[in-house]
Amino acid sequence: MSNLLAKLISMKYKGKSNIKEYIMEISNLASKMKTLKLELGEDLLMHLVLISLPAHFRQFKVSYNTQKDKWSLYELISHCVQEEERLWRDISESTHLSSTSQNKKRKKTKGAAEGSFQQKKPKKDEEFTCCFCKKSGHMKKECPKYATWRVKKGLLVEPTAK
């Protein structure tokens, strides 16, 4: 009897097996204890199961404790299976999100290593290329087409002739 009780109290769900099988194993130990004239109430059995669940079932435990209704063992199994499925779904979604975000980071890092995200400073003997008209020999701030465009848009007063 003491061995069964020690095993029952020390059991922890590690997530390696099915939670339904785990709860049924606890119930089986409790029924063996019942044959030895030590009956555990269903409420006590419920709390033993909840205590043995790992930390990622914390939200589930809180929701059980805040409800007025008490579940039967079969209802607990049903709710635990649903919660386990939800947790696995969340884990797979977060794994997918983290793997896709890591791929994006790798692409950006690779581009930065190649210099595609870095601005190149022209050397003294290199020609400048205007990013407005795409002609070489001047920069945007010195571009006559850019100055004309700004006057046309009303962003700049037309320069006076010197």
Side-chain angles (χ1 to χ4, degrees):
M1 186 183 312
S2 61
N3 287 340
L4 288 175
L5 189 57
K7 186 175 181 180
L8 186 65
I9 292 171
S10 65
M11 286 182 72
K12 297 286 181 198
Y13 178 67
K14 295 179 177 77
K16 294 181 180 177
S17 64
N18 186 342
I19 195 160
K20 179 181 177 183
E21 293 170 6
Y22 171 75
I23 297 172
M24 292 305 292
E25 186 178 347
I26 290 177
S27 176
N28 186 27
L29 286 174
S31 65
K32 284 180 183 179
M33 291 179 69
K34 188 176 182 179
T35 60
L36 297 172
K37 308 277 190 274
L38 181 62
E39 189 171 341
L40 300 176
E42 194 166 338
D43 285 344
L44 179 62
L45 196 58
M46 296 280 287
H47 285 286
L48 283 172
V49 169
L50 290 171
I51 289 168
S52 69
L53 294 177
H56 55 271
F57 279 86
R58 185 178 311 120
Q59 183 180 0
F60 176 75
K61 293 178 192 180
V62 169
S63 75
Y64 173 77
N65 289 326
T66 57
Q67 289 182 358
K68 292 179 183 176
D69 298 334
K70 297 300 175 192
W71 298 334
S72 69
L73 190 62
Y74 297 106
E75 288 174 320
L76 177 68
I77 290 171
S78 173
H79 291 294
C80 282
V81 167
Q82 289 175 356
E83 181 68 10
E84 186 179 45
E85 289 172 355
R86 186 190 68 79
L87 289 169
W88 279 111
R89 206 172 33 250
D90 289 351
I91 288 170
S92 66
E93 286 174 6
S94 66
T95 303
H96 174 72
L97 289 174
S98 67
S99 68
T100 55
S101 67
Q102 285 177 353
N103 288 340
K104 288 179 183 179
K105 286 179 184 177
R106 286 185 190 139
K107 288 178 183 177
K108 286 182 180 180
T109 307
K110 184 178 177 183
E114 294 171 356
S116 63
F117 290 108
Q118 298 173 355
Q119 295 244 344
K120 294 181 181 179
K121 293 185 178 180
K123 296 179 183 175
K124 292 180 183 177
D125 57 344
E126 281 187 21
E127 287 284 323
F128 293 104
T129 303
C130 176
C131 61
F132 186 78
C133 70
K134 310 290 186 223
K135 292 185 180 178
S136 62
H138 65 274
M139 292 176 33
K140 181 178 172 181
K141 64 182 177 181
E142 301 158 351
C143 180
K145 289 185 178 181
Y146 180 65
T148 306
W149 177 82
R150 287 192 64 182
V151 169
K152 186 177 176 182
K153 292 291 183 185
L155 302 171
L156 180 73
V157 180
E158 192 172 341
T160 56
K162 294 184 182 177

